[in-house]
Amino acid sequence: MIEYRNLRVALLGAGSVGAQVASLLLEHGPELANRAGAGLELVGIAVRDPEAQRTAELPAELFTTDAESLILGADIVIELMGGLEPARTLILQALNSGADVITGNKALLATHGPELFEAAEQVGAQLYYEAAVAGAIPIIRPLRDSLAGDRIKRILGIVNGTTNFILDRMDTVGESLEAALATATELGYAEKPDPSADTEGFDAAQKTAILASLAFHTTVPLDAVYREGITKVTLEEVEAAKKAGYVVKLLAICERLTDADGVEGVSARVYPALVPRDHPLAAVHGAKNAVFIEAEAAGDLMFYGAGAGGIETASAVLGDLVSAARRHVIGGPGVAESTHANLPILPITAVTTRYQITLSVVDAPGVLAEIATLFSEHGVSVEALTQSVQPQSVQPHAIQNSTTPTATLVIGTHEASEAALAATVEALEASDVVSTVTSVLRVEGL
Ligand code: HSE
């Protein structure tokens, strides 16, 4: 047996991921030591309540409530406590004492990333965060290392399992949003009592900021990520999408764009969008995650797997632990974050995409021509149009009991700017022949 130098590993947090990290580290320590070229000694686990129930049985003597003392003397600190504070302060303390830090804290990275990366660089330490985006899926290291020689054009990600589960239930089982959310809550995917971190796209936006920063070598702050959640998506929209050959997915989109003034920049955005059924992302079901990368030289790549879960995410953390240990063995400074491109962050108005718009209209001569004129007046080109006449029973209130028949129009557009589309929708809403603009969804992945 090879005798290795021991590296002291301190763990902060023993929730669903932390407990599994500790358990796997204790179980597979010698094997990981062989991979790392150093012994990995778990010197303690800082928690708020040492008596709390854990998902793994762990030696009681490892627990402490004194995180600050635990950090002192550690070679590697693993932060899995979540939240902004005290996680930020403890990570800064660890980095300033020269320890490498591993974290899965996406909220902290998306909010205070530059401060933490700067602190690591100052002392030659390194911050690892494979677990912060898409749980078990290797995506940080592929972007940072494997694709470092390529240029990323676009990333389309399903990075929130809860919302993917909900939208998938609507699509495959025909549940309403409310029913699918109730199922997600029952199965423990959605947070109780407030699921909005997932359903309003906040969680996905944090991950988008992290991915866009890495992909485009540019600091993308969380507040520059445009965000819409899934709470307005209706079963009718999901069913209409299905008929038209699409599936609705909450997408994290990171894109290199040139705006109307010729400025090259980065767009980072999260919204529910229609994805063609033959796109690889359409096959991502349940609470699974996937990140689809379009690179200039490599072409299309997709990374798929578990986006959450204690033991699954622990795999990503332990991968970082082995990398950090290898670095300690070799010596030298950590790899700093690459922000050399420093591209401008473009607003949502710079984005051009296709749209699918559903309208309830008066079914009378000249109506189609009037609607077509509204589109052309705003420079939006119609690609496809289907019309179905609604039975009287499902007509909107405004014209129910009247003798005016109504029809549903589903209009697909060619690429148009957000600004042109918004102006078109405003004009449609004001038009006498339109009773309701039922739905406006972007189409991505074409
Ligand atoms: N709540 C997240 C999700 C998992 O539903 O994917 C943690 O990021």
Side-chain angles (χ1 to χ4, degrees), residues 156-177:
L156 299 177
I158 295 174
V159 293
N160 183 267
T162 306
T163 47
N164 200 55
F165 176 87
I166 293 170
L167 293 171
D168 192 45
R169 291 285 292 191
M170 294 169 79
D171 184 70
T172 57
V173 186
E175 278 183 349
S176 67
L177 180 88

Side-chain angles (χ1 to χ4, degrees), residues 160 163-164 166-167 177 195-205 225-234 237 248-251 269-273 440-442:
N160 183 267
T163 47
N164 200 55
I166 293 170
L167 293 171
L177 180 88
S196 60
D198 293 316
T199 57
E200 294 294 356
F202 293 108
D203 173 81
V225 180
Y226 176 83
R227 177 190 53 79
E228 289 175 25
I230 64 159
T231 48
K232 294 197 183 108
V233 176
T234 64
E237 284 178 316
V248 181
K249 295 289 188 193
L250 183 72
L251 293 183
R269 54 200 201 266
V270 171
Y271 45 63
V440 180
L441 281 170
R442 300 168 182 94

Side-chain angles (χ1 to χ4, degrees), residues 257-328:
L257 285 182
T258 303
D259 74 7
D261 301 323
V263 175
E264 194 190 32
V266 171
S267 162
R269 54 200 201 266
V270 171
Y271 45 63
L274 301 180
V275 174
R277 291 233 163 220
D278 59 1
H279 191 284
L281 286 173
V284 179
H285 295 289
K288 285 285 197 289
N289 282 196
V291 182
F292 187 83
I293 298 180
E294 298 167 27
E296 269 184 20
D300 295 346
L301 304 161
M302 188 156 102
F303 300 78
Y304 168 88
I311 193 160
E312 295 88 343
T313 308
S315 161
V317 174
L318 289 171
D320 278 350
L321 180 59
V322 171
S323 296
R326 285 178 180 151
R327 201 187 77 69
H328 270 264

Side-chain angles (χ1 to χ4, degrees), residues 240 243 358-363 368 385-392 394-396 405-411:
K243 274 196 202 135
T358 309
L359 306 172
S360 191
V361 300
V362 175
D363 192 7
L368 218 48
L385 185 149
T386 55
Q387 172 175 332
S388 54
V389 176
Q390 288 176 356
Q392 193 79 17
V394 296
Q395 286 185 4
T406 60
T408 298
L409 290 184
V410 180
I411 298 170

Side-chain angles (χ1 to χ4, degrees), residues 22 30 33 95 155 170 228 250 323 393 415 439:
L95 291 170
I155 297 176
M170 294 169 79
E228 289 175 25
L250 183 72
S323 296
S393 58
E415 279 220 349
S439 155

Side-chain angles (χ1 to χ4, degrees), residues 101-105 109 117 127-133 139-141 144 210-211 213-214 316 320 337:
V101 172
I102 296 162
T103 178
N105 195 330
L109 287 168
F117 294 127
L127 190 59
Y128 297 82
Y129 51 98
E130 187 60 74
V133 179
I139 190 63
I140 302 302
R141 203 164 282 108
R144 190 181 6 212
I210 295 170
L211 290 177
S213 300
L214 266 177
D320 278 350
E337 284 303 285

